[in-house]
Amino acid sequence: MIKNYFLLFLILAGIETLVLYISSRERFKKYFNFLPPVFWIYFLPMLAASFGIIDARSPLYQKISLNVLPASLILLLLSSDIKGIMRLGAPALIMMAAGSIGIMIGMPLVFYVFKNVVGSQMWSGFGALSASWVGGSANMIAVKEAIGAPDAVFMPMVIVDTVVPYVWMGILMALVAFGPVFDRWNRADRSIADDLGAAVRAGLEPAPTPGGKITAPGVAYMTIFALMFGELAKIIAGKLPEIKNMISTYAWTIIVVTVIGCLLSFTRARRFERHGASKTGYVLLYFVLTSIGARANIAHIGPALILIVAGFCV
Protein backbone atom coordinates (compact mmCIF):
# COMPACT_ATOMS: atom_id res chain seq x y z
CA MET A 1 0.00 0.00 0.00
CA ILE A 2 1.32 3.44 -0.99
CA LYS A 3 1.45 5.90 1.92
CA ASN A 4 4.16 8.33 0.84
CA TYR A 5 2.67 11.84 0.44
CA PHE A 6 4.64 12.62 -2.70
CA LEU A 7 3.65 9.39 -4.44
CA LEU A 8 0.01 9.80 -3.43
CA PHE A 9 0.06 13.34 -4.82
CA LEU A 10 1.50 12.07 -8.12
CA ILE A 11 -1.06 9.26 -8.37
CA LEU A 12 -4.02 11.58 -7.80
CA ALA A 13 -2.65 14.16 -10.23
CA GLY A 14 -1.93 11.40 -12.75
CA ILE A 15 -5.49 10.04 -12.56
CA GLU A 16 -6.97 13.49 -13.09
CA THR A 17 -4.62 14.27 -15.98
CA LEU A 18 -5.31 10.93 -17.68
CA VAL A 19 -9.10 11.26 -17.42
CA LEU A 20 -9.13 14.86 -18.65
CA TYR A 21 -6.78 14.02 -21.53
CA ILE A 22 -8.74 10.97 -22.73
CA SER A 23 -12.12 12.73 -22.39
CA SER A 24 -10.84 15.66 -24.48
CA ARG A 25 -9.90 13.41 -27.43
CA GLU A 26 -12.54 13.53 -30.16
CA ARG A 27 -12.73 9.76 -30.68
CA PHE A 28 -13.27 9.08 -26.96
CA LYS A 29 -15.80 11.83 -26.17
CA LYS A 30 -18.81 9.62 -26.89
CA TYR A 31 -17.76 7.25 -24.09
CA PHE A 32 -18.14 10.08 -21.57
CA ASN A 33 -21.66 11.11 -22.61
CA PHE A 34 -23.36 9.20 -19.80
CA LEU A 35 -20.62 8.89 -17.20
CA PRO A 36 -18.76 12.23 -17.46
CA PRO A 37 -15.09 12.84 -16.59
CA VAL A 38 -15.99 14.19 -13.15
CA PHE A 39 -17.41 10.75 -12.23
CA TRP A 40 -14.24 8.90 -13.24
CA ILE A 41 -12.04 11.46 -11.49
CA TYR A 42 -13.86 10.50 -8.27
CA PHE A 43 -14.38 6.80 -9.00
CA LEU A 44 -10.86 5.71 -10.01
CA PRO A 45 -9.13 6.93 -6.79
CA MET A 46 -11.91 5.23 -4.85
CA LEU A 47 -11.15 1.95 -6.64
CA ALA A 48 -7.43 2.36 -5.91
CA ALA A 49 -8.17 2.92 -2.21
CA SER A 50 -10.72 0.10 -2.02
CA PHE A 51 -8.24 -2.43 -3.44
CA GLY A 52 -5.49 -1.29 -1.08
CA ILE A 53 -3.26 0.32 -3.72
CA ILE A 54 -3.24 3.68 -1.94
CA ASP A 55 -3.82 4.59 1.70
CA ALA A 56 -7.47 5.56 2.16
CA ARG A 57 -6.75 7.23 5.52
CA SER A 58 -3.84 9.47 4.58
CA PRO A 59 -3.97 12.93 6.22
CA LEU A 60 -2.88 14.33 2.83
CA TYR A 61 -6.43 14.16 1.47
CA GLN A 62 -7.85 16.43 4.14
CA LYS A 63 -5.01 18.90 3.61
CA ILE A 64 -5.80 19.03 -0.10
CA SER A 65 -9.44 19.82 0.62
CA LEU A 66 -8.62 22.45 3.22
CA ASN A 67 -6.11 24.32 1.06
CA VAL A 68 -6.95 23.67 -2.59
CA LEU A 69 -10.76 23.91 -2.53
CA PRO A 70 -10.88 27.60 -1.42
CA ALA A 71 -8.31 28.49 -4.11
CA SER A 72 -10.30 26.72 -6.81
CA LEU A 73 -13.47 28.59 -5.81
CA ILE A 74 -11.64 31.92 -6.04
CA LEU A 75 -10.58 31.20 -9.62
CA LEU A 76 -14.02 29.91 -10.63
CA LEU A 77 -15.76 33.00 -9.25
CA LEU A 78 -13.41 35.54 -10.88
CA SER A 79 -15.27 35.25 -14.17
CA SER A 80 -18.71 35.75 -12.60
CA ASP A 81 -20.62 38.39 -14.54
CA ILE A 82 -23.06 39.48 -11.86
CA LYS A 83 -23.95 42.67 -13.73
CA GLY A 84 -24.66 40.62 -16.85
CA ILE A 85 -26.92 38.28 -14.90
CA MET A 86 -28.88 41.21 -13.51
CA ARG A 87 -29.29 42.63 -17.03
CA LEU A 88 -31.17 39.50 -18.09
CA GLY A 89 -34.23 40.95 -16.38
CA ALA A 90 -37.08 39.69 -14.24
CA PRO A 91 -38.16 36.60 -16.29
CA ALA A 92 -34.70 35.05 -16.12
CA LEU A 93 -34.18 35.86 -12.45
CA ILE A 94 -37.65 34.53 -11.56
CA MET A 95 -36.94 31.27 -13.42
CA MET A 96 -33.56 30.90 -11.68
CA ALA A 97 -35.16 31.57 -8.30
CA ALA A 98 -38.08 29.21 -8.99
CA GLY A 99 -35.73 26.41 -10.00
CA SER A 100 -33.54 26.89 -6.94
CA ILE A 101 -36.48 27.15 -4.55
CA GLY A 102 -38.01 24.04 -6.11
CA ILE A 103 -34.84 22.06 -5.32
CA MET A 104 -34.54 23.60 -1.83
CA ILE A 105 -38.12 22.61 -0.99
CA GLY A 106 -38.18 19.29 -2.85
CA MET A 107 -34.96 17.91 -1.41
CA PRO A 108 -35.93 17.98 2.32
CA LEU A 109 -39.46 16.78 1.51
CA VAL A 110 -38.15 13.76 -0.39
CA PHE A 111 -35.57 13.09 2.33
CA TYR A 112 -38.38 13.08 4.91
CA VAL A 113 -40.31 10.51 2.83
CA PHE A 114 -37.25 8.27 2.30
CA LYS A 115 -35.59 8.82 5.68
CA ASN A 116 -36.67 5.49 7.18
CA VAL A 117 -35.35 3.66 4.10
CA VAL A 118 -32.02 5.43 3.51
CA GLY A 119 -31.27 6.36 7.13
CA SER A 120 -31.27 9.69 8.93
CA GLN A 121 -27.50 10.06 8.39
CA MET A 122 -28.15 10.73 4.68
CA TRP A 123 -29.31 14.30 5.37
CA SER A 124 -25.87 15.68 4.53
CA GLY A 125 -25.83 13.74 1.25
CA PHE A 126 -29.14 15.29 0.25
CA GLY A 127 -27.73 18.68 1.23
CA ALA A 128 -24.69 18.20 -1.02
CA LEU A 129 -26.92 16.98 -3.86
CA SER A 130 -29.18 20.02 -3.57
CA ALA A 131 -26.07 22.21 -3.81
CA SER A 132 -25.11 20.49 -7.07
CA TRP A 133 -28.58 20.85 -8.59
CA VAL A 134 -28.68 24.52 -7.69
CA GLY A 135 -25.11 25.46 -8.60
CA GLY A 136 -23.14 22.58 -10.15
CA SER A 137 -20.35 20.24 -9.08
CA ALA A 138 -18.22 23.00 -7.51
CA ASN A 139 -21.14 23.78 -5.23
CA MET A 140 -21.58 20.11 -4.35
CA ILE A 141 -17.95 19.64 -3.35
CA ALA A 142 -17.88 22.89 -1.38
CA VAL A 143 -21.04 22.03 0.58
CA LYS A 144 -19.88 18.44 1.11
CA GLU A 145 -16.71 19.69 2.78
CA ALA A 146 -18.43 22.57 4.58
CA ILE A 147 -21.05 20.38 6.30
CA GLY A 148 -18.70 17.42 6.72
CA ALA A 149 -20.74 14.88 4.76
CA PRO A 150 -19.19 11.42 5.39
CA ASP A 151 -17.68 9.66 2.38
CA ALA A 152 -20.10 6.75 2.81
CA VAL A 153 -22.92 9.28 2.37
CA PHE A 154 -21.31 11.29 -0.42
CA MET A 155 -20.32 8.42 -2.74
CA PRO A 156 -23.85 7.22 -3.64
CA MET A 157 -24.88 10.85 -4.12
CA VAL A 158 -22.18 11.21 -6.79
CA ILE A 159 -23.89 8.38 -8.66
CA VAL A 160 -27.30 10.02 -8.21
CA ASP A 161 -25.86 13.32 -9.43
CA THR A 162 -24.53 11.54 -12.52
CA VAL A 163 -27.49 9.31 -13.45
CA VAL A 164 -30.58 11.41 -12.67
CA PRO A 165 -29.67 14.67 -14.48
CA TYR A 166 -28.53 12.83 -17.63
CA VAL A 167 -31.69 10.70 -17.79
CA TRP A 168 -33.87 13.73 -17.02
CA MET A 169 -32.09 15.76 -19.70
CA GLY A 170 -32.72 12.94 -22.18
CA ILE A 171 -36.43 12.99 -21.33
CA LEU A 172 -36.58 16.76 -21.80
CA MET A 173 -34.76 16.53 -25.14
CA ALA A 174 -37.21 13.85 -26.30
CA LEU A 175 -40.13 16.13 -25.39
CA VAL A 176 -38.80 19.15 -27.31
CA ALA A 177 -40.90 18.19 -30.33
CA PHE A 178 -44.04 18.61 -28.22
CA GLY A 179 -43.02 22.15 -27.17
CA PRO A 180 -45.38 24.02 -29.53
CA VAL A 181 -48.34 21.85 -28.44
CA PHE A 182 -47.54 22.49 -24.78
CA ASP A 183 -47.11 26.23 -25.43
CA ARG A 184 -50.57 26.43 -27.05
CA TRP A 185 -52.17 24.49 -24.18
CA ASN A 186 -50.36 26.63 -21.61
CA ARG A 187 -50.92 29.90 -23.54
CA ALA A 188 -47.17 30.51 -23.23
CA ASP A 189 -45.59 33.63 -24.67
CA ARG A 190 -42.67 32.14 -26.60
CA SER A 191 -41.17 35.56 -27.30
CA ILE A 192 -40.02 35.81 -23.67
CA ALA A 193 -37.83 32.70 -24.05
CA ASP A 194 -36.51 33.90 -27.41
CA ASP A 195 -35.65 37.33 -26.02
CA LEU A 196 -34.03 35.71 -22.99
CA GLY A 197 -31.84 33.51 -25.22
CA ALA A 198 -30.71 36.56 -27.15
CA ALA A 199 -29.97 38.40 -23.90
CA VAL A 200 -27.90 35.50 -22.59
CA ARG A 201 -25.84 35.38 -25.76
CA ALA A 202 -25.33 39.14 -25.79
CA GLY A 203 -24.80 39.66 -22.07
CA LEU A 204 -22.93 36.61 -20.79
CA GLU A 205 -20.67 35.42 -23.60
CA PRO A 206 -17.16 36.71 -22.96
CA ALA A 207 -15.86 39.26 -25.41
CA PRO A 208 -12.87 38.25 -27.54
CA THR A 209 -9.60 38.91 -25.75
CA PRO A 210 -6.76 39.05 -28.26
CA GLY A 211 -3.44 38.09 -26.80
CA GLY A 212 -4.91 36.18 -23.88
CA LYS A 213 -3.49 32.67 -23.65
CA ILE A 214 -2.76 30.04 -21.06
CA THR A 215 0.90 29.81 -20.07
CA ALA A 216 2.70 27.88 -17.33
CA PRO A 217 3.88 31.08 -15.54
CA GLY A 218 0.37 32.51 -15.79
CA VAL A 219 -1.20 29.39 -14.27
CA ALA A 220 1.40 29.41 -11.47
CA TYR A 221 0.76 33.11 -10.79
CA MET A 222 -3.03 32.62 -10.71
CA THR A 223 -2.73 29.61 -8.44
CA ILE A 224 -0.52 31.50 -5.95
CA PHE A 225 -2.95 34.43 -6.13
CA ALA A 226 -5.89 32.14 -5.37
CA LEU A 227 -4.08 30.29 -2.58
CA MET A 228 -3.28 33.62 -0.90
CA PHE A 229 -6.93 34.70 -0.90
CA GLY A 230 -7.93 31.21 0.21
CA GLU A 231 -5.63 31.59 3.21
CA LEU A 232 -7.13 35.03 3.90
CA ALA A 233 -10.59 33.47 3.90
CA LYS A 234 -9.42 30.83 6.40
CA ILE A 235 -7.99 33.52 8.70
CA ILE A 236 -11.24 35.51 8.61
CA ALA A 237 -13.32 32.35 9.13
CA GLY A 238 -11.22 31.45 12.16
CA LYS A 239 -12.38 34.65 13.85
CA LEU A 240 -16.08 34.02 13.21
CA PRO A 241 -18.22 32.14 15.75
CA GLU A 242 -19.14 28.53 15.08
CA ILE A 243 -22.83 27.66 15.28
CA LYS A 244 -23.23 24.13 16.63
CA ASN A 245 -24.63 21.63 14.13
CA MET A 246 -25.05 24.43 11.57
CA ILE A 247 -21.94 26.40 10.61
CA SER A 248 -18.41 25.16 11.30
CA THR A 249 -15.21 27.13 10.79
CA TYR A 250 -14.72 25.43 7.45
CA ALA A 251 -18.28 26.30 6.42
CA TRP A 252 -17.42 29.92 7.23
CA THR A 253 -14.32 29.53 5.07
CA ILE A 254 -16.44 28.51 2.07
CA ILE A 255 -18.86 31.40 2.70
CA VAL A 256 -16.06 33.94 3.06
CA VAL A 257 -14.16 32.68 0.01
CA THR A 258 -17.37 32.91 -2.04
CA VAL A 259 -17.84 36.54 -1.01
CA ILE A 260 -14.18 37.32 -1.77
CA GLY A 261 -14.41 35.66 -5.19
CA CYS A 262 -17.56 37.61 -6.10
CA LEU A 263 -15.98 40.89 -4.97
CA LEU A 264 -12.83 40.18 -6.98
CA SER A 265 -14.99 39.66 -10.09
CA PHE A 266 -15.66 43.42 -10.00
CA THR A 267 -11.94 44.25 -10.00
CA ARG A 268 -9.10 44.00 -12.52
CA ALA A 269 -8.46 40.48 -11.20
CA ARG A 270 -11.31 39.47 -13.52
CA ARG A 271 -8.77 39.75 -16.36
CA PHE A 272 -7.24 36.48 -15.18
CA GLU A 273 -10.06 34.80 -17.10
CA ARG A 274 -8.27 35.78 -20.32
CA HIS A 275 -5.47 33.48 -19.24
CA GLY A 276 -7.66 30.54 -18.19
CA ALA A 277 -8.63 31.31 -14.57
CA SER A 278 -11.79 29.19 -14.65
CA LYS A 279 -10.00 26.31 -16.43
CA THR A 280 -7.29 26.38 -13.78
CA GLY A 281 -10.00 26.55 -11.11
CA TYR A 282 -11.65 23.41 -12.47
CA VAL A 283 -8.32 21.57 -12.57
CA LEU A 284 -7.83 22.41 -8.88
CA LEU A 285 -11.44 21.49 -8.09
CA TYR A 286 -11.11 18.10 -9.78
CA PHE A 287 -7.89 17.50 -7.86
CA VAL A 288 -9.86 18.03 -4.65
CA LEU A 289 -12.40 15.53 -5.98
CA THR A 290 -9.66 12.90 -6.48
CA SER A 291 -8.68 13.33 -2.81
CA ILE A 292 -12.32 12.91 -1.74
CA GLY A 293 -12.62 9.77 -3.88
CA ALA A 294 -9.46 8.33 -2.34
CA ARG A 295 -11.13 8.48 1.09
CA ALA A 296 -14.20 6.56 -0.08
CA ASN A 297 -14.81 2.83 -0.43
CA ILE A 298 -16.55 0.85 -3.14
CA ALA A 299 -18.85 -0.59 -0.47
CA HIS A 300 -20.39 2.90 -0.17
CA ILE A 301 -22.16 2.39 -3.51
CA GLY A 302 -24.76 0.13 -1.84
CA PRO A 303 -27.64 2.60 -1.23
CA ALA A 304 -27.32 4.21 -4.67
CA LEU A 305 -30.33 2.52 -6.31
CA ILE A 306 -32.93 3.70 -3.80
CA LEU A 307 -31.28 7.12 -3.77
CA ILE A 308 -31.61 7.33 -7.57
CA VAL A 309 -35.35 6.77 -7.09
CA ALA A 310 -35.33 9.56 -4.49
CA GLY A 311 -33.47 11.78 -6.95
CA PHE A 312 -36.15 11.32 -9.59
CA CYS A 313 -38.78 12.19 -6.96
CA VAL A 314 -36.97 15.48 -6.32
Side-chain angles (χ1 to χ4, degrees):
M1 180 185 291
I2 299 172
K3 297 185 177 183
N4 180 274
Y5 279 15
F6 181 70
L7 291 178
L8 288 174
F9 184 93
L10 287 181
I11 289 171
L12 297 183
I15 289 173
E16 179 188 357
T17 302
L18 183 64
V19 171
L20 292 179
Y21 175 78
I22 294 175
S23 64
S24 68
R25 300 297 94 186
E26 197 62 40
R27 60 178 175 172
F28 294 119
K29 282 185 177 180
K30 61 183 178 181
Y31 299 113
F32 292 88
N33 286 338
F34 188 70
L35 292 175
V38 67
F39 173 82
W40 295 106
I41 285 171
Y42 180 90
F43 185 70
L44 292 178
M46 184 197 70
L47 281 182
S50 298
F51 287 105
I53 300 172
I54 60 175
D55 184 9
R57 299 184 179 182
S58 174
L60 174 67
Y61 308 140
Q62 193 63 36
K63 292 180 181 182
I64 290 173
S65 294
L66 288 173
N67 295 287
V68 179
L69 180 57
S72 72
L73 295 178
I74 289 287
L75 292 175
L76 290 172
L77 288 167
L78 282 180
S79 60
S80 301
D81 189 355
I82 297 174
K83 291 181 180 179
I85 293 171
M86 298 305 295
R87 284 198 300 268
L88 293 179
L93 298 178
I94 290 171
M95 282 194 292
M96 289 167 63
S100 298
I101 291 170
I103 295 298
M104 292 162 65
I105 293 175
M107 200 67 74
L109 283 178
V110 171
F111 172 66
Y112 178 78
V113 171
F114 282 80
K115 182 171 66 173
N116 291 334
V117 179
V118 301
S120 58
Q121 78 281 358
M122 289 300 299
W123 71 267
S124 58
F126 277 79
L129 185 63
S130 68
S132 176
W133 289 1
V134 169
S137 55
N139 238 23
M140 185 180 195
I141 296 170
V143 170
K144 185 266 184 202
E145 292 297 293
I147 63 178
D151 299 313
V153 168
F154 185 70
M155 173 56 202
M157 285 305 181
V158 172
I159 298 175
V160 176
D161 189 44
T162 301
V163 174
V164 175
Y166 274 79
V167 173
W168 180 238
M169 183 64 70
I171 293 171
L172 292 180
M173 294 298 291
L175 293 175
V176 166
F178 298 96
V181 177
F182 182 81
D183 288 344
R184 286 195 298 272
W185 170 76
N186 199 37
R187 295 185 176 88
D189 183 359
R190 182 70 199 178
S191 64
I192 294 177
D194 295 335
D195 292 344
L196 179 57
V200 169
R201 289 190 293 273
L204 292 185
E205 285 189 353
T209 53
K213 61 181 180 179
I214 301 176
T215 63
V219 170
Y221 182 68
M222 285 187 293
T223 303
I224 293 171
F225 173 87
L227 287 170
M228 286 173 56
F229 276 101
E231 287 300 311
L232 175 62
K234 286 161 62 178
I235 292 171
I236 296 173
K239 299 182 182 300
L240 296 173
E242 291 192 34
I243 302 175
K244 189 176 181 181
N245 297 326
M246 287 185 65
I247 302 181
S248 63
T249 298
Y250 193 64
W252 275 123
T253 300
I254 299 301
I255 293 170
V256 172
V257 86
T258 302
V259 173
I260 291 175
C262 289
L263 291 176
L264 287 172
S265 72
F266 289 96
T267 70
R268 295 178 66 180
R270 180 179 171 81
R271 297 181 182 179
F272 279 138
E273 184 57 27
R274 300 180 184 180
H275 305 282
S278 59
K279 289 182 179 179
T280 304
Y282 273 114
V283 169
L284 294 177
L285 180 70
Y286 293 155
F287 187 61
V288 173
L289 192 58
T290 63
S291 71
I292 295 174
R295 303 197 308 248
N297 190 290
I298 199 167
H300 298 161
I301 295 177
L305 186 59
I306 188 66
L307 289 169
I308 288 173
V309 175
F312 279 114
C313 290
V314 176

